[in-house]
Amino acid sequence: MRNLDDFAAALSQITAQAARAATTSTQTRTVIDAAASGGEDAVRRAVAGMSTADLKRLKRQLEH
């Protein structure tokens, strides 16, 4: 039973990480598209609702 619990916990963690990565990827694409088409104001609107953690992930994504 312990192995099944460990597997379920690991699967949950991986699923959460994948969801965060997908969100970050989508947010990155949104910001890039905003910058390409609308400039600074569009970028400000795109990042307005993001949390500090989201912005940090976005920054790391853009730096690579």
Side-chain angles (χ1 to χ4, degrees):
M1 186 69 162
R2 176 152 166 81
N3 287 339
L4 185 56
D5 290 341
D6 290 346
F7 176 77
L11 183 59
S12 177
Q13 183 179 15
I14 290 169
T15 302
Q17 289 171 346
R20 279 192 302 277
T23 298
T24 300
S25 178
T26 300
Q27 290 170 329
T28 302
R29 174 57 36 208
T30 299
V31 171
I32 290 170
D33 289 348
S37 64
E40 185 177 340
D41 288 338
V43 171
R44 287 181 188 273
R45 284 190 301 275
V47 301
M50 291 184 189
S51 69
T52 301
D54 289 340
L55 292 170
K56 287 179 181 178
R57 280 192 296 274
L58 175 64
K59 181 181 178 206
R60 281 193 303 271
Q61 180 87 14
L62 292 171
E63 288 175 339
H64 289 95

